[in-house]
Amino acid sequence: MRRFSWPLATLPAMPAEAVSADTAIDNLPVWRLSDLYPSQTSDALLGDMKKAEELALAFEATWKGKLEQAVAGTGATGLGAAITQYEALDDLLGRIASYAGLTYYSDMTDAKNAKFFGDVQAKLTDWSSHLLFFALELNRLSDAAVDACLDQDPVAARYHPWLLDLRMDKPHQLEDRVEQLFLEKSMTGAAAFNRLFDETLASLTFNVDGKEQPLEATLNLLQEPDPATREKGAKALSEVFAKNLRIFTLVTNTLSKDKEISDRWRGFEDIADSRHLANRVERPVVDALAAAVKDAYPRLSHRYYKMKAKWLGMDQMNFWDRNAPLPDTVNRVIPWDEARETVLSAYDGFAPEMAGIARRFFDENWIDAPARPGKAPGAFAHPTVPSAHPYVLVNYLGKPRDVMTLAHELGHGVHQVLAGEQGALMCQTPLTLAETASVFGEMLTFRALLDKAKTKKERKIMLAQKVEDMINTVVRQIAFYEFERKVHTARKNGELTAEEIGQLWLSVQEESLGPAIRISEGYENWWTYVPHFIHSPFYVYAYAFGDCLVNSLYAVYQNADQGFQDKYFELLKAGGTKHHSELLAPFGLDATDPSFWAKGLSMIEGLIDELEALDTDA
């Protein structure tokens, strides 16, 4: 159940390909975490930790067992006052948690960072146990009592969306002491195995031509023009994944069983229902999305990869050729300043306000860009808390996809800044809608670059890259979702061997990639390094949801006379205060409409049509 808005860990990395740590790029910023706290031992942090403990104990003493009286009162003894205090404490705990998490993800191999992160997690869990009663007692209040309170207490009325959201958890709420046990045991259960996964992955090195290098640099080899280099990178990855298979298999089995126990106790019917509830999206909507994407595999991934194999001069591509650059692609390093201006210019062309917010991330050191050993792989935007500001992590090495990743994460950052106006309890957007601004930011940047293409060849390369990114975001993520469904379903019958998990992985990969991709030995273990499966089970469909939604949203933008930007900013500012149906209605969109997903997928198909036409013209 969702109890607190502050995160103990970062958002999972977006599904971008990796970068190399060998390319030198100047002017890469490192984030300024001192905006949160000066250091791990600073008086400011230690003082806030002491204050957080005191306030948590005081809050429990003041309000536990007294919410029935509070709901009937107003002013200092009313429910509005209680929620206001709770929100302020939530923000304080979130600031501490964010600092610990971002410090840890700056270098996960640093023993001091790991200890600090673990100690802070333990303390936050202890303090949270004193606040657990609040949501539980609120959900035991009758609807009539809460409604009457909202009518008479204007402070409480402000939190109406949060109260409605909270009460959606009510059917799955357990007895107080069981909830407390779940919370306290999480430190030695799921959280511990998440940390084991992270630290194992961060410590892996891969030998390529006698040189040991980290995961990101090795994944980056799959984007090199030379087929032999791509093959060496893939074989190095497969070898190391196989050597560490026991750990990854244990983590996967343990976390899947842990989730099954929680779901069973809470009464969730389907293995993904808890994620749907957290995302505030209905199961039929997700089922329709998954079915639409699977039905489109032949028209999207199968068709595109067949074309790409021909471009690369192959009858069939190896699995490590999937993200290879097309022939004649200019293999240059894009300087950081150019990437910055590319994204900001695209954002400015849509709305100067959007560019203005994004510019603060550069000017005020809210971005950590260099790729370095021990740093979290991939990319993410961390919202922290409304009293502070978001941070963005990327591993930037100057690839075109790195520019798109930057545009994606800055979209998240802009969204998080705007939604912060809702306060700590209502600023967080469900994952499905959280991908809206990020994917929209990517689309703006892509369209701006495409408009500058001078030749058909240049346009073809850019379109192909965008189609690949969209396939990675839609087709690949739904395949990931189907893989998770197979794993969690099979795990109910007992532990799964690494070979069994590998076979499930291959079954969905073969189905989604199609006959133009040769699946050879070694690829069966590539499920091991995907963090989404570990940190947030079933998170991945949110990417496909966001991409298809943005495709439809962008079509509305292209055909809108005026007013689109204002409606778009209202959507972002809403945070978690509105359901997706309310947020999409002003644009004439409805995710519950069976044809909605077909519209989003048709944009990808249209880009493939254009590629095919360009290929014919050539």
Side-chain angles (χ1 to χ4, degrees), residues 53 56-57 119-131 180 183-184 187:
E53 181 177 19
L57 292 170
D119 287 347
V120 169
Q121 279 190 309
K123 289 182 182 298
L124 288 165
T125 301
D126 289 343
W127 302 333
S128 299
S129 68
H130 296 289
L131 306 177
Q180 185 167 354
L183 174 66
E184 294 186 14
M187 268 294 297

Side-chain angles (χ1 to χ4, degrees), residues 345-352 354 440-441 443-445 447-448 451 549-569 586-589 603:
S345 175
Y347 278 25
D348 188 68
F350 173 72
M354 189 174 180
F440 196 84
M443 183 65 79
L444 290 173
T445 305
R447 290 293 180 180
D451 288 343
L549 189 158
V550 165
N551 289 343
S552 296
L553 199 62
Y554 196 83
V556 174
Y557 166 56
Q558 288 180 307
N559 297 317
D561 294 328
Q562 58 183 1
F564 179 91
Q565 283 84 343
D566 292 337
K567 289 188 287 187
Y568 179 73
F569 277 103
F587 303 95
L589 300 175
M603 176 175 284

Side-chain angles (χ1 to χ4, degrees), residues 141-378:
L141 297 172
S142 70
D143 290 342
V146 173
D147 290 342
C149 173
L150 298 179
D151 287 339
Q152 67 182 6
D153 186 346
V155 179
R158 177 183 175 274
Y159 294 97
H160 188 203
W162 178 74
L163 289 166
L164 288 175
D165 192 59
L166 184 69
R167 292 175 89 76
M168 292 181 70
D169 290 326
K170 187 174 180 177
H172 307 285
Q173 181 173 298
L174 303 174
E175 186 268 325
D176 289 19
R177 287 185 60 78
V178 176
E179 290 286 2
Q180 185 167 354
L181 180 63
F182 266 63
L183 174 66
E184 294 186 14
K185 289 285 286 181
S186 66
M187 268 294 297
T188 53
F193 280 89
N194 271 261
R195 183 172 160 188
L196 173 63
F197 172 86
D198 287 339
E199 294 186 13
T200 299
L201 203 61
S203 67
L204 297 182
T205 59
F206 305 81
N207 189 301
V208 181
D209 288 334
K211 178 183 177 182
E212 294 290 331
Q213 55 189 32
L215 174 65
E216 291 282 0
T218 313
L219 283 169
N220 184 66
L221 297 178
L222 307 183
Q223 295 184 64
E224 289 297 316
D226 178 34
T229 300
R230 297 196 296 269
E231 182 176 1
K232 288 177 184 178
K235 289 186 174 178
L237 290 162
S238 295
E239 181 181 353
V240 175
F241 293 157
K243 286 180 180 178
N244 291 273
L245 209 47
R246 288 183 62 189
I247 293 177
F248 291 121
T249 303
L250 173 63
V251 169
T252 298
N253 271 293
T254 302
L255 291 177
S256 181
K257 182 62 177 178
D258 182 80
K259 185 179 185 304
E260 185 272 325
I261 293 170
S262 177
D263 285 353
R264 175 162 37 86
W265 275 73
R266 297 192 182 284
F268 288 108
E269 295 179 2
D270 184 77
I271 51 178
D273 276 352
S274 58
R275 173 60 58 199
H276 302 333
L277 179 63
N279 284 346
R280 297 322 189 222
V281 64
E282 299 74 24
R283 190 201 306 172
V285 173
V286 179
D287 289 347
L289 164 64
V293 174
K294 290 177 68 176
D295 183 63
Y297 285 170
R299 305 193 306 275
L300 302 180
S301 50
H302 297 187
R303 179 184 171 204
Y304 173 75
Y305 289 135
K306 182 179 179 180
M307 291 168 57
K308 184 170 183 178
K310 184 184 72 172
W311 297 335
L312 294 178
M314 303 176 179
D315 294 326
Q316 217 182 9
M317 290 189 290
N318 297 295
F319 71 83
W320 55 77
D321 297 320
R322 188 171 54 83
N323 288 307
L326 297 190
D328 301 320
T329 299
V330 177
N331 190 26
R332 76 178 183 95
V333 173
I334 301 170
W336 176 254
D337 288 345
E338 182 181 333
R340 175 185 186 274
E341 291 311 311
T342 295
V343 176
L344 290 181
S345 175
Y347 278 25
D348 188 68
F350 173 72
E353 180 184 352
M354 189 174 180
I357 296 171
R359 187 171 287 108
R360 294 188 66 191
F361 283 78
F362 296 96
D363 295 347
E364 301 181 37
N365 288 90
W366 297 356
I367 304 177
D368 193 275
R372 57 179 179 269
K375 179 180 173 180

Side-chain angles (χ1 to χ4, degrees), residues 71-88:
V71 81
T74 57
T77 60
L79 182 62
I83 300 176
T84 301
Q85 290 176 30
Y86 182 78
E87 181 173 48

